[in-house]
Amino acid sequence: MTQTTDTTADTPLAINKLTVNGHAVYAHTGGRPFDPARPVVVLLHGAGMDHTVWSLQTRYLAHHGRSVLAVDLPGHGRSGGEPLDSVAALADWVTALLDAAGVAKAALIGHSMGALVALDAAARHPDRVESVVLLGAAERMPVHPDLLAAAAAAGEPSAIDLVIGWGHGPRGHSGGSLTPGLALIPGGRRLMAAVKPGVLGVDLAACNAYGQGGAAADAVACPALFVLGALDRMAPAKAGRALANRMKTSQVVTIPHTGHMVMTEAPDATVEALTSFLDLRRG
């Protein structure tokens, strides 16, 4: 594990990179040193993206009592290795991440593909997951064959245009970002254009192949929060509510006028939902 520390052995760690399964993994800590003694949250991004999609949530969480690991999944962003080709493999990787960070148990927050990973990890490794927050989630996330083919062609811009276009609701298409200087659609395109060739295709194929969402939801024993965009065209809110109904303990927050990219389109509402749920779990 590569990390920088202060001078005393008891000082919390300022983690830059972890070594997981032999590869360097970048973990953003929200601007505060990582302390595994505090409640830990791990944030998992969606297909073809990286930790920066959580920029408007990580800092708040880190400055309000949590230790944050917003990771770049293998082969994404600043993390090394190759992208893993199944949701189950990514779920197992999460437990290896926790081991590398010295964390016994964490809350998992996932978006889209990351939501499937968090769900599967909670079902397969219940002793490591204290709660899950699933954004833009559904039991199945099928991908159209034409999009799969376009994404498999490395550098194919039409795949990025389709994902970003369908992934945003009206606010993204009208330039209505709540963050000064951030345009959601152009920003999303630039983020996905920077991904390594072939990564988006691997990710979308993993989402398309995952058929265990319902069984995983049935098996999850920990509390769950679903944060859904009312206008999500990629994982419709109706499908998210149906998945939530299969969980033993779940809450649903549906954010109006919002598409699939919940955390960037509605950052304040997302933070409010996250903190209300996590505070309840701490109590």
Side-chain angles (χ1 to χ4, degrees):
M1 178 169 61
T2 302
Q3 59 198 23
T4 60
T5 67
D6 290 332
T7 55
T8 63
D10 295 331
T11 301
L13 306 179
I15 295 176
N16 299 117
K17 286 196 175 183
L18 301 167
T19 299
V20 181
N21 296 337
H23 297 287
V25 171
Y26 182 80
H28 179 61
T29 61
R32 287 184 64 91
F34 181 79
D35 182 359
R38 295 194 299 172
V40 175
V41 294
V42 176
L43 295 101
L44 305 166
H45 61 76
M49 299 190 177
D50 65 25
H51 76 278
T52 59
V53 298
W54 300 109
S55 295
L56 300 176
Q57 288 78 44
T58 50
R59 186 171 180 82
Y60 184 91
L61 292 170
H63 285 77
H64 289 81
R66 281 94 184 169
S67 283
V68 172
L69 294 175
V71 297
D72 290 343
L73 294 173
H76 297 70
R78 303 181 192 180
S79 291
E82 296 298 320
L84 302 182
D85 62 2
S86 73
V87 169
L90 285 163
D92 291 342
W93 177 88
V94 168
T95 64
L97 171 78
L98 296 179
D99 290 340
V103 175
K105 206 167 190 179
L108 304 184
I109 303 173
H111 171 250
S112 194
M113 180 182 77
L116 296 180
V117 174
L119 174 66
D120 202 65
R124 290 155 53 82
H125 306 286
D127 57 324
R128 308 302 302 274
V129 181
E130 66 180 29
S131 61
V132 290
V133 182
L134 310 178
L135 293 79
E139 178 179 339
R140 292 297 307 271
M141 292 189 182
V143 181
H144 192 281
D146 291 346
L147 176 54
L148 284 174
E156 175 54 61
S158 66
I160 294 174
D161 287 341
L162 286 169
V163 171
I164 295 299
W166 276 87
H168 285 86
R171 181 175 290 132
H173 288 276
S174 64
S177 172
L178 298 180
T179 305
L182 175 63
L184 294 174
I185 296 290
R189 287 179 180 143
R190 287 179 63 86
L191 172 61
M192 297 193 76
V195 75
K196 299 170 187 175
V199 168
L200 179 59
V202 172
D203 289 351
L204 293 180
C207 291
N208 187 64
Y210 186 67
Q212 292 75 47
D218 292 341
V220 170
C222 68
L225 170 67
F226 286 72
V227 183
L228 310 174
L231 302 181
D232 191 335
R233 294 181 289 178
M234 301 184 80
K238 179 180 179 179
R241 288 190 291 269
L243 184 61
N245 287 337
R246 299 188 66 155
M247 308 282 277
K248 293 178 176 63
T249 305
S250 67
Q251 303 175 37
V252 177
V253 173
T254 304
I255 302 178
H257 315 300
T258 303
H260 191 60
M261 295 298 297
V262 181
M263 61 283 192
T264 55
E265 291 184 69
D268 292 341
T270 300
V271 165
E272 182 178 353
L274 293 178
T275 54
S276 296
F277 175 75
L278 293 171
D279 284 343
L280 179 64
R281 301 279 67 79
R282 290 178 70 185

